[in-house]
Amino acid sequence: MKPVEGLVGENRCRRWLALIAVVIGVTGCASGRSYVVLVPDEDGTTGRVSVSGAKGTTWLDKPNEGTVIGAPAGEKFVVAKESLTKEFGPALAATPMKPITFLFYFETGRVTLTRESEASVPSVLDAIRKRPAPDISIVGHTDTVGKNEDNVALGWGRARFVARLFESNRIGTDRISIESHGEKNLLVPTPDNTDEPRNRRVEIMVR
């Protein structure tokens, strides 16, 4: 594969995984020549990338838009989905899934999920099971009612509750880490001794 000269991206970080996977895995050819293609994110959006060489710079900013490496500036084409699957299938399949975050909310002063959060448990479990080897971070939080040390303990209790919930549903605990932030790192900043439902939560990051 020829080197990609002056490859410059204007993307959010989460898009780089898909883009770099395709660039590194480029073995396909357009008229017998190597090319770069900008693949869309899972929600259909893209970032923006430039490919520069002796003949100028070409910007790619549309889904599945490509350019031959070394082509004149502005010379672009659209790669059919069938060609992407055929030529870049292994690279795209190897692209890691983006991290996802879930929030479970709790009743005040208790290690008990709210009714709404309890109803969301099945969908969270389904999302985790779709990942072949998920790494899960669980962080317990509280509002500012009560003493700081009591809230640290309450945060631990909430985090452990979620970890046990996952374990009882056969989510591997060897890939789960838990911690408590207590009343620190509030989702909604409040004064001390403020009852704020959105701060009584557990944050779950799944990678």
Side-chain angles (χ1 to χ4, degrees), residues 82-106:
E82 295 78 9
S83 296
L84 281 174
T85 301
K86 179 180 178 181
E87 300 185 17
F88 303 118
L92 292 172
T95 303
M97 299 176 71
K98 294 192 300 294
I100 50 176
T101 302
F102 303 98
L103 294 176
F104 284 160
Y105 294 99
F106 287 76

Side-chain angles (χ1 to χ4, degrees), residues 60-78:
L60 306 177
D61 56 12
K62 294 181 176 59
N64 302 339
E65 195 170 54
T67 184
V68 172
I69 297 173
E75 187 174 286
K76 300 185 288 188
F77 52 88
V78 176

Side-chain angles (χ1 to χ4, degrees), residues 156-185:
W156 275 112
R158 288 171 174 170
R160 284 192 291 264
F161 171 84
V162 174
R164 288 194 295 268
L165 176 65
F166 289 165
E167 181 181 14
S168 66
N169 284 276
R170 299 184 179 182
I171 302 296
T173 54
D174 58 327
R175 292 187 294 272
I176 294 178
S177 65
I178 64 172
E179 59 182 304
S180 172
H181 288 182
E183 61 183 67
K184 306 299 182 183
N185 299 323

